[in-house]
Amino acid sequence: MSEMEQTPTPSRPPVVILCEPQLGENIGMVARAMANFGLHDLRIVNPRDGWPSEKARSAASRADHVIDAVQVFDRVEDAVADIQLLFATTARNRDIPKPVVGPDEAAAEAVAYGQKELTTGYMFGRERWGLNNDEVALSNKIVTLPVDPSYASLNIAQAVLVCAYEWRRTATSGQLPFTLDDYEGEPASQEAIQRMFEHLEGALDVRGFFRPVEKKPVTVRRLRNIFQKADLTDNEVRILRGVIASFEKYPAKYGNE
């Protein structure tokens, strides 16, 4: 899969709204965080340095599909007009009676709405002081992250990254993009494992591995346990048999005692 190819999810991704962002670099890093987790609708309200921004594009690290689709608005109300479930992100206590949820709970709600093809969104404030109370008042709920209250400052891209991660983790049920499982063989049968171990035990016995002899039963049991815990595949058992056969070619040092 190419870096720019988007993997579909069973839920409509949320919109990200940035209120009066100051630096193009921050906008670009937000776009990059969004692209990492399958979000693509970025809306900007009154960017201080104007738009388009080459600094934003550079910082986006090839998340061009997000940058190219950016919508710019003069008013927050217009940017959120079509959103049916809007979260305002803030790290500060607000004198506004609204439900406050964590990013995981917000993600669960956003996914549920998105599965019904409803529009959801996360609104983020300015780099220096966040959202104002009028902007927070537009939201349905407040999202706050479980940060250390003695240092609650996150930059915009970090906050977007956490929310986007939680959304995608929920939308995909935690499915990872790849695994490193051995697809070359099915799990080995107990018969195959036992035959391999008997092969190994015989080869080790000939070479005097089990010394002192009276401790052989304990050593054999521990060796067997190593291989049982390994969840070997058929292919791995064949490889191990080949390894054993390779050192069987050399003369035994101690003879068959």
Side-chain angles (χ1 to χ4, degrees):
M1 181 183 298
S2 69
E3 290 184 80
M4 302 310 297
E5 185 178 351
Q6 296 179 49
T7 304
T9 61
S11 178
R12 176 185 289 183
V15 175
V16 172
I17 304 100
L18 305 183
C19 294
E20 299 184 352
Q22 296 172 285
L23 300 174
E25 292 89 343
N26 285 338
I27 298 172
M29 287 187 286
V30 165
R32 180 178 184 177
M34 291 172 61
N36 285 152
F37 297 105
L39 279 60
H40 52 78
D41 190 342
L42 175 58
R43 305 177 185 182
I44 306 174
V45 180
N46 290 327
R48 186 191 67 180
D49 295 338
W51 193 261
S53 167
E54 287 306 313
K55 291 181 178 179
R57 185 176 296 277
S58 177
S61 188
R62 300 193 303 279
D64 293 327
H65 62 291
V66 178
I67 294 295
D68 292 339
V70 164
Q71 299 179 68
V72 180
F73 296 86
D74 294 328
R75 303 190 321 141
V76 177
E77 291 83 356
D78 296 330
V80 304
D82 64 326
I83 295 177
Q84 292 155 298
L85 176 63
L86 179 63
F87 297 101
T89 62
T90 179
R92 294 185 286 116
N93 186 21
R94 303 291 184 140
D95 190 21
I96 302 175
K98 284 186 182 294
V100 178
V101 297
D104 52 346
E105 186 177 345
E109 294 187 46
V111 168
Y113 269 68
Q115 288 172 339
K116 299 174 184 177
E117 290 299 313
L118 300 175
T119 304
T120 63
Y122 292 83
M123 182 165 55
F124 298 85
R126 300 145 189 86
E127 290 93 330
R128 294 183 62 183
W129 50 275
L131 296 168
N132 61 42
N133 285 343
D134 289 337
E135 291 160 349
V136 173
L138 295 172
S139 67
N140 301 100
K141 296 185 177 184
I142 290 174
V143 177
T144 193
L145 308 185
V147 295
D148 185 337
S150 66
Y151 192 76
S153 176
L154 276 75
N155 68 34
I156 298 175
Q158 289 174 327
V160 171
L161 185 76
V162 172
C163 293
Y165 163 79
E166 288 289 354
W167 175 84
R168 187 167 186 85
R169 184 180 64 84
T170 303
T172 63
S173 299
Q175 181 179 354
L176 299 176
F178 67 90
T179 66
L180 296 179
D181 294 336
D182 184 354
Y183 293 107
E184 297 182 16
E186 296 180 354
S189 67
Q190 286 300 311
E191 180 184 10
I193 294 172
Q194 294 307 319
R195 291 178 64 183
M196 180 273 296
F197 189 80
E198 289 167 2
H199 188 183
L200 174 63
E201 183 181 348
L204 292 175
D205 213 2
V206 167
R207 283 153 181 79
F209 177 80
F210 299 110
R211 291 178 181 271
V213 175
E214 59 270 21
K215 291 188 177 181
K216 176 180 175 180
V218 174
T219 305
V220 166
R221 187 162 52 248
R222 289 176 176 173
L223 282 171
R224 285 182 184 273
N225 192 46
I226 290 171
F227 290 108
Q228 289 293 355
K229 291 192 296 183
D231 294 328
L232 297 171
T233 65
D234 283 332
N235 185 52
E236 289 168 336
V237 167
R238 287 193 295 271
I239 292 172
L240 287 171
R241 293 292 295 268
V243 170
I244 299 166
S246 72
F247 67 71
E248 280 184 317
K249 296 177 182 179
Y250 298 93
K253 183 176 179 181
Y254 293 98
N256 197 1
E257 299 180 10

